[in-house]
Amino acid sequence: MNAYTSRVLEGLRQRNAHESEFLQAATEILESLSPVFDKHPEYEKAGLLDRFVEPERVIMFRVPWVDDQGRTQVNRGYRVQYNSAIGPYKGGLRLHPSVNLSILKFLGFEQVLKNSLTGLPIGGGKGGSDFDPKGKSDREVMAFCQSFMTELYRHIGQDTDVPAGDIGTGAREIGFLYGQYKRLTGLYEGVLTGKGLTYGGSLARTQATGYGLCYFVKNMLEANGKTVQGATVVVSGSGNVAIYANEKITELGGKVVAMSDSNGYIYDPNGVNLDVVKQIKEVERGRIKEYVARVPGSEYHEGCKGIWTIKCDIALPCATQNELDAEGAKALIANGCFAVGEGANMPSTLEATELFLQNGVLFAPGKAANAGGVATSALEMSQNSQRLSWTFEEVDEKLKGIMKGIFEKCAEAAAEYGDKPTNYVVGANIAGFLKVADAMMAQGIV
Ligand code: NDP
Ligand code: 2IT
């Protein structure tokens, strides 16, 4: 490994010893970037990597709100404004009890490279809170969102930082956040994306991450003489990304036989009935196990990791970080799985990723494969600035083009720098990095 990159990585390990997710992401990224620093000694003189790994700003704040029993609750809110070299900070807000600074720093760091890969002018950021929307009433969710925005509004804006959804943050939460931002600032501007269609949202944003993932996988398979047509597919998760990944992969000729949530997974050898999943998850906010009572011939299994033991050709992890470990990877490989497309952010552990790469499984890393969501968010920002809205077909066509472009950039960088031309992990990291690096060099030591 290049001496400068290994020194910076060692420094990160010392200063952030307790941030395991952040160090995991940083290890993969810095190891991939090593050959770039061999080629560009001027980057070290400019301290480029020392600056690149450090968020420009981290905001942490108290979020007090009152629950339905009249009790005061306090959560912790965050916004990590990671890098604004190529555009305003852009990235989602995660609402989940596991949220902490390490998780948001890993997500923010990944987002910088992902947003660069889209080719659109967006920097990287991420935020959220340890608030758990599950089991809360709409009024409680509104109270939380209003309190969260009462601090966040002073740090964001359509030209500075544009948050969006992520785990636990969907259309309902974005609506409450947007209403409070508008009330506090008096501005009707595209400060959030993933908005409802009646107040500035973009058609196809709901579908974009899952659809984009399938477009990336399709490009990757075609470039390697394979196809989605006739493939058996396992999709983990049953949230926004998982549902629309299922919808598109089915349209492309795949058959999804399993989906999951944080409690367990369903197996349906006849192909998962997506209308039933949408009804349970999108309308009723229920649990995936309710599926088996409605669809004869399907099974439910407790625990989510068992989903990787189901025989499939293509695996699409779309739930959360580190949901697919070495054991899961070995089971997939033993069962003949030939492609993995990451819909979630960092769903595969470093060991799992290494196993896929070593065993010739085509591997689409999250920061490239799930970039369709944020790319369509950037298209929402464009529409808001123009005060226009494009049709579903227009947005979907642009999304297809963007995902093709991302795949090509990953493949080109992999061919130039990777140990093999299908190492899209190295490809994505390097292609994403080069644009940000160039912009940072041009803008001086800031
Ligand atoms: P949702 O909240 O809509 O769905 C999350 C899904 O993952 C649910 O099925 C949830 O199950 C499951 N899940 C969450 N945490 C865990 C856990 N600890 N263990 C097992 N399962 C879990 O989120 P999204 O679909 O929006 O996000 C899914 C992933 O995709 C995340 O990694 C996110 O960062 C990433 N992503 C999202 C984008 C977007 O546009 N929304 C864009 C790019 C990436 P349960 O209901 O039990 O919690
Ligand atoms: O991880 C991600 O890319 C997202 N959650 C979407 C971010 C966005 O700004 O649309």
Side-chain angles (χ1 to χ4, degrees), residues 68-280:
D68 285 347
Q69 284 70 48
R71 290 179 305 222
T72 301
Q73 302 280 349
V74 180
N75 287 103
R76 190 173 284 176
Y78 305 83
R79 187 72 181 162
V80 177
Q81 298 184 327
Y82 221 107
N83 192 303
S84 62
I86 65 170
Y89 310 106
K90 179 88 198 83
L93 295 173
R94 177 172 293 190
L95 299 181
H96 193 273
S98 63
V99 163
N100 58 34
L101 192 55
S102 169
I103 290 180
L104 295 179
K105 278 175 66 184
F106 116 65
L107 289 164
F109 200 19
E110 292 274 301
Q111 198 83 43
V112 173
L113 297 168
K114 182 195 305 194
N115 294 4
S116 167
L117 283 170
T118 67
L120 300 167
I122 39 177
K126 200 85 188 189
S129 172
D130 57 3
F131 173 78
D132 186 0
K134 266 200 215 100
K136 303 286 191 304
S137 68
D138 287 351
R139 194 211 61 80
E140 288 176 319
V141 171
M142 181 172 75
F144 168 82
C145 288
Q146 290 182 342
S147 181
F148 184 84
M149 187 54 87
T150 301
E151 174 58 33
L152 188 68
Y153 88 95
R154 65 188 85 243
H155 308 290
I156 62 175
Q158 64 173 349
D159 296 316
T160 49
D161 185 353
V162 183
D166 192 76
I167 290 179
T169 308
R172 174 182 63 171
E173 290 73 19
I174 293 291
F176 293 146
L177 291 164
Y178 191 75
Q180 184 72 351
Y181 180 85
K182 184 162 63 65
R183 178 158 72 161
L184 289 166
T185 62
L187 297 171
Y188 207 104
E189 61 174 24
V191 65
L192 296 171
T193 59
K195 298 184 294 296
L197 297 177
T198 51
Y199 62 94
S202 173
L203 285 160
R205 175 63 188 87
T206 304
Q207 293 82 356
T209 309
Y211 279 22
L213 167 66
C214 298
Y215 298 149
F216 187 97
V217 167
K218 181 173 185 282
N219 279 288
M220 177 175 79
L221 295 190
E222 282 170 1
N224 289 280
K226 293 199 155 57
T227 175
V228 176
Q229 192 71 43
T232 300
V233 185
V234 164
V235 179
S236 67
S238 49
N240 172 266
V241 180
I243 285 175
Y244 293 95
N246 181 329
E247 186 164 287
K248 183 55 73 178
I249 211 82
T250 305
E251 207 181 298
L252 294 175
K255 178 170 149 189
V256 178
V257 295
M259 292 184 82
S260 61
D261 62 21
S262 55
N263 295 112
Y265 67 94
I266 52 153
Y267 172 60
D268 187 342
N270 300 315
V272 170
N273 182 329
L274 195 58
D275 289 338
V276 174
V277 174
K278 282 184 180 174
Q279 175 66 26
I280 294 169

